[in-house]
Amino acid sequence: MSHDNPTIPSVISMTDIDIKDPISRLVQHTTTCCITDTGSKAHEIFEQQSLLEGIVILDNDRPAGLIMRADYYQKIGTQYGYSLYSRRPVTYLMETSMLIVDHSVEIAKVSALAMKRDHKNIYDLIVVTKNDVFLGVVSIRVFLMELTKKREKEIEWLKMANEKEKAFSDTIAATNAELSQKNESIKNLLDHAGQGFLSFSGNYLIHNEYSAECVKIFGCEIVARHFLDIVAPYFKPADVAGMEATLTMLFAGENDISAEVYFSLLPQEMTVHGRTVALEYKLLSESDLKVMVILTDITEKIELNRRMKEEEKNLRLILKAIQNYDDMKMSIEEMCQLFRTGWNNRLDESQNGGETLTEIFRSVHTYKGELAQHGLYNTSAHLHALEDQLADLLKEAENPSLLNHLKNILAGIDPSAILADDMQVITGALGEDYFTKTETFVVTKEQIEAICTLIKRVCKEEQQHALTEAVKKLLCRNFKDFLKEYDGYVEYLGSRLGKKIALHIEGDDIFVYKPLYSGLLKSLIHIVRNAADHGIESADARMEAGKPECAAITCQIRRLDPNYFALSVTDDGHGIDLMKIKDKVLEAGLASQEELSCMPPADLLPFIFKEHFSTKAAVDTLSGRGIGLSAVKHEAEKLGGNITVSTNEGSGTEFVITLPIMRTFNL
C-alpha cells in the first residue's frame, strides 16, 4: 500500500445507496504512515494537505492507530511540543481507541456502533479493513450526509405510497417506526459530531433536523426560524443583504452557475458570542434545492495557530540574539541612549521645531526597521505607534508650541518598557545576564589602540604609519558581510507579505570600518522593505507575467576606483509606477501640471527621495510614511556619497549608492 502522494478524499455521490449495503460502498482512500515513521512525517503530511482530516498509522498494513488533525496541532502547540514529537515515533501522537469495522459490515450496524462509542474516543474517521488489512476510511461527515439523503428519499417514497394506496397503512406505520428509529440514530450522530448541522429550503426556514451544537452556538432554539434572521446579528447589514441576494439567485436556478460558485460568495466565518465559527455550505438536494450549513467552532484552532506563530516568532528572536549578539546589543543601547538623553539634548539646542521633529521622526522610522530586522517585532510595533503620534504632530509644523508638544511625547517614552516584551523572551531563554556579559571573541577598538600605542613606543618613526594602518584594518570587515544580516529579515518580510523572496549578495570585496557606515547600513532597510512591499508582485501576478514565483532582491558591490565603490540594490518586481509619482507630485504641489507635462520620465524619480513622499495609499507597520528613502539619501550624502534610482516597467527597480572607501579612523 502506498503511503506517499495520496489523493485528497472527496464526497462520494451515492443517491441510490441502500442502508443495508456494506460499509465498503463509502470507503475512501486516505494518507497513511508506518508505525516506524517519526512525528515529522505526520507534520509534513498535514502541512502539505490542508483538507486532510486524519492519518491512519499502519503496522504491516494493519491499522494500529489514528492521528486527527485537531489533536495533532493541539499536541505540538504546547511549549516545545513540536521539538518533542517531531523526532519521536508517531506512536506518541496516535490514538489506538478508534472505530475499526470490516468492509462487509452493514451501514446500519456501523451507525449503531458509532453511537455507542465512548465520548473520549469519538473521531471523525471510521477505519475499514478487509481480512484485517487496512482498506480505507469513512468520513463521519460523508456518512451523515449520505444517511440524510437516504432518509429524504425514503420520505418521498412514503408520500407516494400513501397517496396511491391507503391499504398499506400498517406497512407504512411500520416503515415510519423504522424511519423514526433511523432519524433518532442520525440525530444522535449529529449531536455527537461536535459540529452544527442545519438545513433550509427556498423559504429560508430551518428544518426540524439539526444538531444540538447549533443551539449551543446560537444560544437559542432555531427550528422553523428564518436562517438569515438567526445569523443577522453577527454580520453587517450589507453582508446580510449580500447573503440574501446570493441565496435568492441560487434558489431561483435561472442560470447554469454551480452551487459551489454561489457558496463561495457567502461568508466563511462569523463571530458568535466571542467565538469564531466557520461556515461550510453543501447542496443536499438538487431537485428541490435544500442547503445544509455546517458550523464549526474554530476558536481553539485559531488560538493554537496564533500561539504557534508567536512561538515561531520568539524562536526567531532568540536565534537572532545568539547569531547577531553584538549588532543587536549595539542597536538596543543606541536606541535607549537616544530616548534617555540624546533627544533631550537636541530639543534643548533646537531653534527649529519642524527640523528637529523631522530628524526624530526619521530616527524612529529607521530604528523601527532595524529592530524588526533583529527580530524585535514587539519593540518595532511600539515604535510604529510612536511614529503615529509624531506623524500627527508633523501636521502642526507651524505651531509655536511644537517643541513643547514634542518634549511631552518623548518624556512619556520609557525605552525599557518598549523593549520589555522582547527582552523577556530573550532573557527567559538565554538568561537574565545575557546582555550584560563582558566576554568577547572579536578584536576591540581598545585592543587596537593598545597595539598602536605599543608600535609608537617600540618602532622607528618611518615604520609607525604603515604598521599602524595595517593594524587598524583588523577592525575592517567585508561590506558584503554587513548585507548578509538582512537575509533573515527578507525571509520574514516574504512570510508576512505572502511572497517568496530571496536575497542575493554578490560583487567585489570591499573592506571598511563598520562604525563609519552605521547610519547608512541602518537606513538600507528602507530600500529592502520598499522592494518587498511596493515593488515585488504577488506569486500569482509573477506567474502571469512569466516570472519565477520566487522574487529576487540583489545587492551588488562594485569597486569604482581606489577611493570609491558602488552598492546597487535591485529587485525584479513590476517597477515604479511613474504615473502615481506624477499624481503625488502634483497633489503635493512640488511641480505644476505644465512642468510635469514636459518633464522626462527619468526626472520624476528623484521625487521619491523627498521627505514624506509616498505613493502608498495607507500607512502600515512596513511602509507608507514617505520617510525611508529620504533617510537613505541623507545618510549617503553625510558620508560624501550619493544615490540614484532607475526603473523599468514590468522588470524591476535599481538603487545605486556611490560611497567612499573608508578604512582609517582616529584612535
Side-chain angles (χ1 to χ4, degrees):
M1 184 176 297
S2 172
H3 298 167
D4 298 321
N5 300 322
T7 57
I8 296 174
S10 58
V11 177
I12 303 171
S13 177
M14 304 183 68
T15 54
D16 297 325
I17 189 170
D18 192 323
I19 199 68
K20 294 183 179 180
D21 278 353
I23 193 68
S24 59
R25 294 285 299 276
L26 296 177
V27 170
Q28 307 165 33
H29 295 295
T30 193
T31 304
T32 62
C33 280
C34 291
I35 201 168
T36 56
D37 286 335
T38 63
S40 61
K41 176 70 174 180
H43 182 76
E44 178 184 344
I45 292 171
F46 279 131
E47 288 295 304
Q48 291 177 352
Q49 302 182 42
S50 60
L51 300 180
L52 191 65
E53 295 181 82
I55 303 171
V56 178
I57 310 303
L58 299 182
D59 185 1
N60 292 325
D61 288 335
R62 296 173 185 269
L66 187 64
I67 302 176
M68 297 305 297
R69 174 181 287 275
D71 292 342
Y72 170 77
Y73 279 107
Q74 187 172 2
K75 287 179 179 177
I76 71 165
T78 59
Q79 188 173 18
Y80 309 117
Y82 179 78
S83 299
L84 181 65
Y85 288 109
S86 63
R87 295 190 293 271
R88 295 191 174 190
V90 291
T91 52
Y92 284 86
L93 291 164
M94 72 182 190
E95 299 290 343
T96 57
S97 301
M98 53 190 167
L99 179 57
I100 305 177
V101 298
D102 188 82
H103 75 292
S104 61
V105 176
E106 293 180 355
I107 292 173
K109 186 174 180 180
V110 174
S111 176
L113 290 172
M115 284 191 299
K116 293 177 181 178
R117 288 179 296 172
D118 190 290
H119 285 187
K120 64 177 179 293
N121 296 328
I122 293 178
Y123 304 104
D124 292 336
L125 297 177
I126 299 172
V127 179
V128 182
T129 60
K130 182 176 182 179
N131 298 326
D132 291 334
V133 175
F134 177 68
L135 182 64
V137 296
V138 175
S139 168
I140 286 291
R141 185 183 298 179
V142 173
F143 191 59
L144 293 174
M145 291 179 65
E146 294 303 327
L147 289 179
T148 302
K149 289 180 181 179
K150 175 60 183 173
R151 176 191 171 281
E152 291 180 348
K153 195 173 184 70
E154 289 178 345
I155 289 175
E156 291 176 5
W157 178 83
L158 283 173
K159 289 179 180 178
M160 292 173 58
N162 188 49
E163 293 173 358
K164 290 182 179 180
E165 184 56 70
K166 299 295 184 182
F168 293 112
S169 58
D170 291 340
T171 304
I172 293 173
T175 305
N176 277 336
E178 183 181 353
L179 282 174
S180 179
Q181 184 178 3
K182 292 175 183 175
N183 227 10
E184 189 64 26
S185 298
I186 293 173
K187 189 177 187 312
N188 284 336
L189 283 172
L190 288 171
D191 288 344
H192 290 87
Q195 292 176 297
F197 295 87
L198 63 84
S199 60
F200 56 87
S201 300
N203 60 5
Y204 299 101
L205 299 182
I206 297 173
H207 297 155
N208 292 339
E209 301 82 13
Y210 61 90
S211 68
E213 187 71 13
C214 293
V215 177
K216 180 180 177 182
I217 289 173
F218 292 110
C220 63
E221 288 294 336
I222 63 172
V223 65
R225 292 189 59 182
H226 197 288
F227 171 70
L228 294 178
D229 290 343
I230 288 289
V231 301
Y234 313 110
F235 293 104
K236 296 177 181 178
D239 295 332
V240 177
M243 292 175 68
E244 184 173 15
T246 301
L247 290 170
T248 298
M249 288 188 287
L250 169 66
F251 288 122
E254 296 177 353
N255 51 52
D256 297 329
I257 299 176
S258 67
E260 285 72 20
V261 174
Y262 286 116
F263 291 155
S264 69
L265 301 176
L266 296 173
Q268 306 300 307
E269 283 185 10
M270 64 180 178
T271 302
V272 184
H273 307 311
R275 310 288 292 180
T276 303
V277 178
L279 299 168
E280 185 180 358
Y281 310 88
K282 299 286 184 183
L283 193 62
L284 282 181
S285 172
E286 295 185 4
S287 57
D288 56 356
L289 288 180
K290 293 181 180 179
V291 174
M292 173 183 276
V293 182
I294 304 169
L295 304 103
T296 308
D297 189 333
I298 59 172
T299 308
E300 280 75 19
K301 178 182 178 182
I302 291 174
E303 176 60 19
L304 176 61
N305 289 338
R306 186 198 66 77
R307 289 203 308 268
M308 288 180 65
K309 289 181 179 178
E310 187 72 18
E311 286 187 8
E312 289 176 5
K313 186 175 71 173
N314 291 344
L315 178 59
R316 188 181 295 115
L317 172 57
I318 293 167
L319 292 175
K320 288 280 189 181
I322 296 171
Q323 294 168 349
N324 303 323
Y325 174 86
D326 292 327
D327 288 338
M328 180 182 289
K329 183 178 180 182
M330 182 182 297
S331 296
I332 291 172
E333 290 175 349
E334 286 179 354
M335 188 201 75
C336 290
Q337 190 277 332
L338 202 57
F339 271 110
R340 287 173 179 146
T341 60
W343 283 340
N344 289 332
N345 295 336
R346 294 185 199 179
L347 289 170
D348 292 338
E349 298 170 359
S350 175
Q351 301 298 319
N352 187 315
E355 290 181 2
T356 304
L357 174 59
T358 297
E359 182 182 357
I360 292 174
F361 189 86
R362 185 190 296 125
S363 297
V364 172
H365 192 64
T366 298
Y367 274 112
K368 180 184 78 170
E370 181 183 358
L371 294 173
Q373 179 192 353
H374 287 312
L376 295 137
Y377 303 116
N378 293 309
T379 303
S380 180
H382 286 303
L383 292 176
H384 182 73
L386 175 57
E387 267 190 326
D388 287 337
Q389 289 183 276
L390 297 178
D392 291 337
L393 204 55
L394 279 168
K395 300 172 184 177
E396 306 175 21
E398 303 302 323
N399 190 329
S401 302
L402 179 64
L403 281 174
N404 289 330
H405 291 326
L406 186 55
K407 287 179 180 180
N408 290 335
I409 290 176
L410 296 178
I413 302 298
D414 179 3
S416 297
I418 291 177
L419 289 159
D421 292 337
D422 290 323
M423 294 301 289
Q424 184 177 358
V425 172
I426 296 172
T427 57
L430 304 176
E432 292 291 336
D433 63 340
Y434 185 71
F435 282 113
T436 60
K437 296 176 181 177
T438 57
E439 301 94 328
T440 181
F441 298 96
V442 297
V443 179
T444 66
K445 185 176 179 181
E446 289 72 20
Q447 290 171 318
I448 296 295
E449 184 176 15
I451 294 172
C452 289
T453 301
L454 182 62
I455 289 172
K456 291 178 181 178
R457 191 170 69 244
V458 302
C459 295
K460 295 180 180 180
E461 187 174 346
E462 59 269 21
Q463 297 174 320
Q464 288 179 7
H465 179 74
L467 288 174
T468 300
E469 292 304 311
V471 172
K472 285 180 180 180
K473 289 181 181 178
L474 291 174
L475 285 180
C476 293
R477 288 174 55 194
N478 194 331
F479 201 91
K480 288 192 288 189
D481 292 340
F482 308 146
L483 301 175
K484 290 175 184 177
E485 296 170 7
Y486 284 93
D487 195 36
Y489 186 62
V490 168
E491 182 182 351
Y492 159 74
L493 285 175
S495 173
R496 176 169 175 179
L497 295 167
K499 303 174 182 179
K500 292 184 178 180
I501 310 173
L503 179 68
H504 303 286
I505 300 169
E506 55 192 43
D508 299 330
D509 295 318
I510 304 293
F511 289 86
V512 297
Y513 181 47
K514 183 178 180 180
L516 299 176
Y517 296 85
S518 177
L520 176 76
L521 289 168
K522 290 176 183 178
S523 70
L524 285 179
I525 197 169
H526 302 306
I527 293 181
V528 173
R529 193 164 51 197
N530 282 355
D533 193 16
H534 292 284
I536 291 172
E537 316 93 327
S538 65
D540 290 342
R542 291 182 65 83
M543 297 290 279
E544 289 178 9
K547 296 181 179 181
E549 183 180 1
C550 182
I553 296 177
T554 303
C555 297
Q556 186 175 56
I557 305 293
R558 182 164 47 91
R559 182 187 294 275
L560 301 177
D561 58 42
N563 299 315
Y564 282 88
F565 71 101
L567 163 65
S568 71
V569 183
T570 309
D571 68 72
D572 63 348
H574 52 60
I576 298 175
D577 189 333
L578 296 178
M579 288 304 299
K580 281 188 176 180
I581 292 180
K582 184 177 290 188
D583 292 341
K584 186 67 177 181
V585 168
L586 192 61
E587 176 188 333
L590 298 175
S592 66
Q593 183 66 60
E594 292 74 20
E595 290 172 325
L596 289 172
S597 62
C598 59
M599 187 178 291
D603 289 353
L604 288 169
L605 290 172
F607 283 106
I608 67 176
F609 297 108
K610 294 285 187 182
E611 291 277 2
H612 311 298
F613 188 95
S614 176
T615 58
K616 192 167 183 179
V619 174
D620 58 27
T621 55
L622 286 182
S623 59
R625 300 285 189 188
I627 199 73
L629 293 180
S630 68
V632 182
K633 183 174 185 291
H634 176 74
E635 294 297 338
E637 291 176 348
K638 272 173 58 177
L639 293 172
N642 61 69
I643 182 170
T644 60
V645 59
S646 59
T647 190
N648 290 304
E649 184 178 356
S651 59
T653 301
E654 179 183 29
F655 290 88
V656 178
I657 306 172
T658 302
L659 296 165
I661 300 174
M662 295 187 289
R663 301 191 187 95
T664 60
F665 46 90
N666 296 322
L667 289 174

